Amino acid sequence: MLLRAILLIAATGSLLVAQAATITGYVEDASGNALVGATVVLKGQSLGTATDVTGRYVITDVPANEYVLVADYIGYATQERQIRLNADEELTINFELSEDAARLEEVVVAGKSASTARSQTPIQVASIDVVKLQSESAELVTVLDRTAGVRVRQSGGLGSNTIIQLNGLTGRAVRTYLDGIPLDVYSG
Protein backbone atom coordinates (compact mmCIF):
# COMPACT_ATOMS: atom_id res chain seq x y z
CA MET A 1 0.00 0.00 0.00
CA LEU A 2 2.82 2.41 0.93
CA LEU A 3 4.70 1.50 -2.25
CA ARG A 4 1.59 2.23 -4.33
CA ALA A 5 1.22 5.69 -2.69
CA ILE A 6 4.87 6.52 -3.40
CA LEU A 7 4.51 5.47 -7.05
CA LEU A 8 1.34 7.56 -7.38
CA ILE A 9 3.07 10.65 -5.93
CA ALA A 10 6.10 10.14 -8.18
CA ALA A 11 3.87 9.76 -11.27
CA THR A 12 1.87 12.88 -10.37
CA GLY A 13 5.05 14.87 -9.82
CA SER A 14 6.44 13.81 -13.18
CA LEU A 15 3.19 14.82 -14.86
CA LEU A 16 3.42 18.29 -13.29
CA VAL A 17 6.99 18.69 -14.50
CA ALA A 18 6.02 17.46 -17.96
CA GLN A 19 3.37 20.19 -18.25
CA ALA A 20 6.02 22.92 -18.61
CA ALA A 21 7.16 24.00 -22.07
CA THR A 22 10.30 25.78 -23.30
CA ILE A 23 10.62 28.64 -25.78
CA THR A 24 13.94 29.23 -27.55
CA GLY A 25 15.16 31.26 -30.48
CA TYR A 26 17.39 34.05 -31.73
CA VAL A 27 16.93 37.82 -31.99
CA GLU A 28 18.82 39.43 -34.89
CA ASP A 29 18.79 42.64 -36.90
CA ALA A 30 18.00 42.82 -40.62
CA SER A 31 21.66 42.05 -41.47
CA GLY A 32 21.65 38.88 -39.38
CA ASN A 33 23.74 40.35 -36.55
CA ALA A 34 22.90 39.13 -33.05
CA LEU A 35 21.19 41.70 -30.82
CA VAL A 36 22.90 41.14 -27.48
CA GLY A 37 20.73 42.01 -24.48
CA ALA A 38 17.43 42.16 -26.36
CA THR A 39 14.49 41.29 -24.11
CA VAL A 40 12.04 38.52 -24.92
CA VAL A 41 9.02 38.29 -22.60
CA LEU A 42 5.59 36.75 -22.43
CA LYS A 43 3.20 39.70 -22.46
CA GLY A 44 1.27 40.02 -19.22
CA GLN A 45 3.37 37.35 -17.51
CA SER A 46 6.42 37.46 -15.28
CA LEU A 47 8.35 35.16 -17.61
CA GLY A 48 11.06 36.49 -19.86
CA THR A 49 14.78 36.75 -20.49
CA ALA A 50 17.50 38.63 -22.35
CA THR A 51 19.53 37.37 -25.27
CA ASP A 52 23.13 36.20 -24.80
CA VAL A 53 26.18 37.18 -26.89
CA THR A 54 24.97 35.02 -29.79
CA GLY A 55 21.47 36.56 -29.73
CA ARG A 56 19.95 33.35 -28.32
CA TYR A 57 17.25 33.29 -25.66
CA VAL A 58 15.65 30.48 -23.64
CA ILE A 59 12.50 30.73 -21.54
CA THR A 60 11.88 27.58 -19.50
CA ASP A 61 9.07 26.26 -17.30
CA VAL A 62 6.29 27.94 -19.27
CA PRO A 63 2.83 26.52 -18.52
CA ALA A 64 0.87 25.27 -21.53
CA ASN A 65 -1.39 28.09 -22.77
CA GLU A 66 -1.76 30.81 -25.41
CA TYR A 67 0.60 33.79 -25.12
CA VAL A 68 1.92 36.84 -26.92
CA LEU A 69 5.72 36.68 -27.16
CA VAL A 70 7.36 40.12 -27.35
CA ALA A 71 10.92 40.89 -28.54
CA ASP A 72 12.28 44.37 -27.82
CA TYR A 73 15.61 46.14 -28.25
CA ILE A 74 16.57 49.82 -27.96
CA GLY A 75 16.46 51.55 -31.34
CA TYR A 76 14.51 48.72 -32.99
CA ALA A 77 10.82 48.18 -33.63
CA THR A 78 9.15 45.84 -31.12
CA GLN A 79 7.76 42.60 -32.52
CA GLU A 80 4.96 40.49 -31.09
CA ARG A 81 4.05 36.90 -31.98
CA GLN A 82 0.92 35.00 -30.97
CA ILE A 83 1.92 31.52 -29.79
CA ARG A 84 0.23 28.43 -28.39
CA LEU A 85 2.22 26.10 -26.16
CA ASN A 86 1.33 22.48 -25.55
CA ALA A 87 2.51 20.51 -22.56
CA ASP A 88 6.13 19.38 -22.70
CA GLU A 89 6.78 21.24 -25.98
CA GLU A 90 9.93 23.04 -27.09
CA LEU A 91 8.97 25.87 -29.40
CA THR A 92 11.53 27.80 -31.47
CA ILE A 93 10.65 31.38 -32.41
CA ASN A 94 13.24 33.61 -34.11
CA PHE A 95 12.89 37.38 -34.40
CA GLU A 96 14.36 39.76 -36.97
CA LEU A 97 14.01 43.31 -35.65
CA SER A 98 14.23 46.33 -37.94
CA GLU A 99 15.70 49.66 -36.92
CA ASP A 100 13.23 52.28 -35.74
CA ALA A 101 14.79 55.74 -35.53
CA ALA A 102 11.55 57.15 -34.09
CA ARG A 103 12.08 55.06 -30.93
CA LEU A 104 15.47 56.61 -30.28
CA GLU A 105 15.23 59.43 -27.80
CA GLU A 106 17.58 62.37 -27.78
CA VAL A 107 20.37 62.21 -25.24
CA VAL A 108 22.00 65.48 -24.29
CA VAL A 109 25.30 65.50 -22.46
CA ALA A 110 26.10 68.89 -21.01
CA GLY A 111 29.21 70.00 -19.20
CA LYS A 112 30.82 73.20 -18.03
CA SER A 113 34.42 74.21 -17.75
CA ALA A 114 35.69 75.14 -14.30
CA SER A 115 35.81 78.84 -15.21
CA THR A 116 32.24 78.79 -16.59
CA ALA A 117 30.97 77.01 -13.49
CA ARG A 118 32.65 79.60 -11.26
CA SER A 119 31.18 82.48 -13.26
CA GLN A 120 27.69 81.01 -12.96
CA THR A 121 27.77 80.36 -9.23
CA PRO A 122 25.40 82.43 -7.14
CA ILE A 123 26.76 85.61 -5.63
CA GLN A 124 27.67 85.42 -1.97
CA VAL A 125 26.04 88.18 0.04
CA ALA A 126 27.16 89.26 3.50
CA SER A 127 25.01 91.61 5.53
CA ILE A 128 26.57 93.96 8.07
CA ASP A 129 24.42 95.01 11.03
CA VAL A 130 25.13 98.75 11.36
CA VAL A 131 23.13 99.07 14.60
CA LYS A 132 25.81 97.10 16.46
CA LEU A 133 28.51 99.36 15.02
CA GLN A 134 26.95 102.69 16.08
CA SER A 135 28.66 102.60 19.47
CA GLU A 136 32.09 102.06 17.84
CA SER A 137 34.26 104.63 16.19
CA ALA A 138 35.39 102.62 13.17
CA GLU A 139 35.91 103.46 9.55
CA LEU A 140 34.04 101.68 6.79
CA VAL A 141 37.34 100.08 5.76
CA THR A 142 37.78 98.55 9.22
CA VAL A 143 34.20 97.25 9.30
CA LEU A 144 34.56 95.67 5.83
CA ASP A 145 37.86 94.07 6.83
CA ARG A 146 36.06 92.23 9.68
CA THR A 147 33.49 90.71 7.27
CA ALA A 148 34.01 87.06 6.27
CA GLY A 149 35.61 86.67 2.84
CA VAL A 150 36.54 90.37 2.58
CA ARG A 151 40.10 91.69 2.98
CA VAL A 152 40.89 95.38 2.74
CA ARG A 153 44.41 96.70 2.05
CA GLN A 154 45.39 100.32 2.23
CA SER A 155 48.58 101.83 0.86
CA GLY A 156 48.70 104.42 3.63
CA GLY A 157 46.58 105.93 6.35
CA LEU A 158 43.20 107.64 6.32
CA GLY A 159 42.06 108.62 2.82
CA SER A 160 44.71 106.61 0.98
CA ASN A 161 43.99 104.20 -1.88
CA THR A 162 42.12 101.08 -0.81
CA ILE A 163 42.20 97.63 -2.43
CA ILE A 164 39.29 95.32 -1.61
CA GLN A 165 39.61 91.55 -2.05
CA LEU A 166 36.49 89.36 -2.10
CA ASN A 167 37.26 85.67 -1.63
CA GLY A 168 40.60 86.14 -3.39
CA LEU A 169 39.25 88.25 -6.27
CA THR A 170 40.66 91.75 -6.68
CA GLY A 171 40.98 94.54 -9.24
CA ARG A 172 38.35 94.68 -11.98
CA ALA A 173 36.66 91.56 -10.63
CA VAL A 174 35.48 93.53 -7.58
CA ARG A 175 33.04 96.42 -7.93
CA THR A 176 31.84 98.56 -5.06
CA TYR A 177 28.65 100.61 -5.09
CA LEU A 178 27.06 103.18 -2.78
CA ASP A 179 23.30 103.46 -3.32
CA GLY A 180 23.72 101.95 -6.80
CA ILE A 181 26.46 104.37 -7.87
CA PRO A 182 29.96 102.91 -8.44
CA LEU A 183 32.45 104.21 -5.83
CA ASP A 184 35.00 104.69 -8.64
CA VAL A 185 33.06 107.85 -9.53
CA TYR A 186 33.93 109.36 -6.14
CA SER A 187 37.67 108.67 -6.71
CA GLY A 188 39.03 106.93 -3.68
Side-chain angles (χ1 to χ4, degrees), residues 2-19:
L2 180 62
L3 183 59
R4 217 183 272 168
I6 292 173
L7 289 175
L8 182 62
I9 290 171
T12 307
S14 65
L15 286 175
L16 292 175
V17 172
Q19 297 294 326

Side-chain angles (χ1 to χ4, degrees), residues 56 94 147 149 160 164 176 182:
R56 185 172 190 263
N94 295 323
T147 306
S160 64
I164 299 175
T176 53

Side-chain angles (χ1 to χ4, degrees), residues 1-187:
M1 176 98 168
L2 180 62
L3 183 59
R4 217 183 272 168
I6 292 173
L7 289 175
L8 182 62
I9 290 171
T12 307
S14 65
L15 286 175
L16 292 175
V17 172
Q19 297 294 326
T22 302
I23 307 169
T24 63
Y26 289 90
V27 180
E28 300 173 337
D29 64 6
S31 303
N33 298 320
L35 295 178
V36 180
T39 57
V40 181
V41 296
L42 294 172
K43 193 173 190 176
Q45 303 294 314
S46 60
L47 293 171
T49 189
T51 57
D52 62 13
V53 294
T54 63
R56 185 172 190 263
Y57 71 93
V58 178
I59 304 173
T60 58
D61 299 327
V62 182
N65 205 344
E66 289 187 12
Y67 298 101
V68 175
L69 189 63
V70 180
D72 190 32
Y73 192 69
I74 296 173
Y76 288 80
T78 302
Q79 276 190 14
E80 295 183 356
R81 301 263 177 89
Q82 188 76 30
I83 61 169
R84 178 169 180 75
L85 288 174
N86 298 317
D88 202 26
E89 177 181 14
E90 184 169 322
L91 184 63
T92 301
I93 303 288
N94 295 323
F95 289 96
E96 184 180 299
L97 302 183
S98 58
E99 288 188 40
D100 185 8
R103 290 198 59 210
L104 290 177
E105 295 180 17
E106 180 178 341
V107 175
V108 177
V109 178
K112 295 179 185 177
S113 67
S115 61
T116 302
R118 266 194 305 271
S119 70
Q120 293 178 345
T121 57
I123 298 172
Q124 181 180 354
V125 176
S127 175
I128 301 171
D129 189 1
V130 182
V131 175
K132 293 180 181 177
L133 300 173
Q134 286 179 350
S135 61
E136 292 184 37
S137 61
E139 289 184 298
L140 176 63
V141 173
T142 308
V143 172
L144 285 176
D145 198 35
R146 286 191 234 156
T147 306
V150 179
R151 290 293 146 245
V152 179
R153 298 206 172 133
Q154 289 182 301
S155 59
L158 184 64
S160 64
N161 283 342
T162 304
I163 298 172
I164 299 175
Q165 283 186 319
L166 295 176
N167 292 327
L169 298 174
T170 185
R172 292 185 175 185
V174 178
R175 298 285 183 216
T176 53
Y177 296 89
L178 178 62
D179 295 335
I181 301 172
L183 287 179
D184 296 344
V185 173
Y186 297 115
S187 67

